[in-house]
Amino acid sequence: MARPQMLKLPEVLTELGMSRAAFYRMRARGQAPRLQKLPNGQLRVRRADLDAWWEHCEQQAA
């Protein structure tokens, strides 16, 4: 079984087209994709979580 693809935060920010500060404001409001904190302190976003978040945003906009 393949491990899920984990994206680094800069990769997510590039895909979303937003700054780190804007992302953290969204996160504080509970509106950002779910983050995973690794034991070394780095943050990752699962590709599946990001795709599900995008889909949720599209449904909310419709």
Side-chain angles (χ1 to χ4, degrees):
M1 184 171 146
R3 294 190 315 174
Q5 182 182 6
M6 302 292 278
L7 303 171
K8 295 178 181 178
L9 189 55
E11 295 171 323
V12 173
L13 296 175
T14 299
E15 186 169 328
L16 297 178
M18 68 172 48
S19 68
R20 184 179 294 263
F23 181 85
Y24 279 107
R25 283 192 301 271
M26 286 179 57
R27 185 173 180 228
R29 293 189 305 259
Q31 299 173 336
R34 195 169 89 185
L35 293 174
Q36 301 290 318
K37 190 170 188 178
L38 300 180
N40 63 5
Q42 294 181 356
L43 299 174
R44 297 286 190 271
V45 177
R46 286 189 177 111
R47 167 51 70 186
D49 290 341
L50 183 60
D51 291 343
W53 177 81
W54 269 121
E55 188 170 322
H56 176 75
C57 290
E58 289 174 354
Q59 290 173 357
Q60 293 289 357

